[in-house]
């Protein structure tokens, strides 16, 4: 089964993306990371940056053993996806 990362928008949380899971499951294994400074996670000392969000994505993939995945992002999550 193929993997997909669903990336939430600014000031959002993984819950923002959870409604998509019921539409995608069965075709794709869904993963919803939480960006630094969102969903109760601390704001990084260096502040927000897309480099930091990219590192969040890569760390999440490493933690979950994902070598590759499709990526869908909403708003800020879309920019991070790029």
């Amino acid at each position: 089964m193929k993997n997909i990362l669903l990336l939430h928008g600014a000031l959002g949380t993984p819950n923002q993306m959870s409604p998509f899971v019921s539409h995608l499951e069965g075709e794709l294994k869904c993963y919803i990371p939480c960006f630094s400074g969102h969903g109760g996670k601390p704001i990084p000392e260096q502040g927000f940056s897309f480099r930091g969000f990219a590192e969040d994505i890569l760390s999440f993939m490493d933690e979950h053993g994902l070598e590759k995945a499709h990526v869908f992002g909403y708003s800020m999550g879309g920019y991070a996806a790029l």
Side-chain angles (χ1 to χ4, degrees):
M1 184 176 294
K2 295 181 181 179
N3 302 312
I4 187 166
L5 297 176
L6 302 172
L7 306 177
H8 64 79
L11 306 177
T13 68
N15 290 339
Q16 186 179 38
M17 304 306 287
S18 58
F20 291 101
V21 174
S22 64
H23 297 287
L24 298 171
E25 62 187 2
E27 298 293 322
L28 299 164
K29 174 72 175 158
C30 299
Y31 294 88
I32 310 175
C34 187
F35 290 113
S36 297
H38 295 78
K41 293 178 81 173
I43 296 173
E45 286 184 27
Q46 67 275 16
F48 293 118
S49 71
F50 283 102
R51 177 182 295 271
F53 295 145
E55 290 171 2
D56 288 342
I57 294 167
L58 292 174
S59 293
F60 181 90
M61 290 181 72
D62 286 345
E63 289 169 13
H64 289 84
L66 302 174
E67 291 185 25
K68 61 182 180 176
H70 295 282
V71 183
F72 172 82
Y74 168 75
S75 189
M76 179 198 77
Y79 286 111
L82 291 174

